[in-house]
Amino acid sequence: MHLNRILLSAVLAVVALVVQVSVLARLQLPGAVPDLLLLTVLALALVYGPTGGALVGFGAGLLADLAPPADHAVGRYALVLCVVGYAAGLTKPESGRHRSATVPMLVVAGAALSSTLLYAGVGALVGDTAARHVGLGVLLTTATVYDLLLAPFTVPAVMALARRTEHDPFAEAAGGSAADSPGGRGLLGTGGRLRGRAGGLGAARGGGGRRGGLLVRSPRSGTGRIKGVKRL
C-alpha cells in the first residue's frame, strides 16, 4: 500500500475505534453495538480493492483486539475484518466508482451479518459461548439495522477521503510543468515548422506547384460483550 493510504487508514481506524468505544458502546442500545470500525473498513475496501481491504481490515481488527477493554483472544477480530475487507473489496467496479448507493448498502448489510456470524463462529472454536446466552438472532438483526442506519453518514465521507488521497499532487504538478515548459514548447514548435517546410517542398515538387492559384495541402488528424467492539 502507498504511504498516503497507510496514514489515512491508520488515522480513520483510530478515530472510529475511539468513537465506538467511548460513545457508541455507552448508549446501551438493545442487542449489538453499532460497528463504526467495520463501516470504516468497508468504505476503504470499496475504494482500495480486495488487497487493500484485507490489509486495512487486519490492521483495524488487530487494533481493536489490543485496545482496552477488549476481553477476547488477540487476532479474533483481526481475522474477521480481514476476511470481510477482502470480500468487500471484490465488489469494487473496474471504473473505480459505484454508479448508485445500492451496492455499498448491500455490502454493509452483508458485512454486518457475516462479521457477526464469523465472530461468533471463531468464538465457538476457542470456547467463547457468549453468543448462545445473548441470542444470535437478536445480534444479527440489531447489528444489521444499526450499521445500515449509520452507513449513510460515514461510508460516503470515508470513501471521498480515500479517493482524494489516490491522487498525487506532486506527480501531477511535475507532469504539468514538463508539458508547459518553454523548452518543450520550443521543441514542438521547431518540429512543427520543420514538418511544415518539408511538406511544402514535397507538394511543390510532386504536385507541380500551385493549382488554380491555391497551394494544395493534405489535412492532418490527432453483554457477554466485547466491551465496545462487539456485543456477544
Side-chain angles (χ1 to χ4, degrees):
M1 293 180 67
H2 301 294
L3 180 60
N4 51 358
R5 287 187 176 186
I6 297 174
L7 293 176
L8 178 64
S9 301
V11 171
L12 291 177
V14 171
V15 172
L17 184 61
V18 170
V19 173
Q20 183 171 328
V21 173
S22 61
V23 178
L24 298 179
R26 298 178 181 274
L27 296 178
Q28 299 298 325
L29 296 174
V33 172
D35 201 337
L36 184 60
L37 188 62
L38 173 65
L39 296 177
T40 303
V41 171
L42 294 177
L44 294 175
L46 291 173
V47 178
Y48 295 158
T51 303
L55 293 176
V56 172
F58 180 81
L62 187 61
L63 180 64
D65 289 332
L66 297 175
D71 54 357
H72 56 278
V74 175
R76 181 176 171 185
Y77 204 45
L79 173 63
V80 173
L81 289 187
C82 180
V83 174
V84 172
Y86 180 83
L90 293 175
T91 64
K92 177 185 177 182
E94 295 182 357
S95 61
R97 291 177 177 267
H98 294 87
R99 296 183 178 180
S100 65
T102 304
V103 175
M105 293 303 288
L106 290 176
V107 170
V108 171
L113 294 172
S114 59
S115 63
T116 304
L117 288 173
L118 185 58
Y119 189 88
V122 175
L125 293 177
V126 297
D128 185 0
T129 60
R132 299 179 183 178
H133 302 288
V134 177
L136 187 58
V138 176
L139 288 174
L140 292 174
T141 303
T142 54
T144 305
V145 171
Y146 295 156
D147 291 347
L148 286 175
L149 292 176
L150 191 59
F153 304 99
T154 56
V155 174
V158 174
M159 292 179 68
L161 287 174
R163 289 195 183 101
R164 184 170 298 180
T165 59
E166 290 296 286
H167 303 287
D168 189 353
F170 297 102
E172 291 177 357
S177 60
D180 297 335
S181 62
R185 292 179 180 176
L187 291 174
L188 291 175
T190 303
R193 288 194 295 270
L194 291 176
R195 287 195 298 270
R197 293 175 182 174
L201 291 175
R205 293 175 181 176
R210 299 172 180 267
R211 294 183 180 178
L214 295 175
L215 183 61
V216 180
R217 295 182 181 179
S218 59
R220 298 179 178 269
S221 57
T223 356
R225 73 181 189 187
I226 307 170
K227 304 169 183 176
V229 178
K230 284 281 187 185
R231 182 180 296 181
L232 290 178

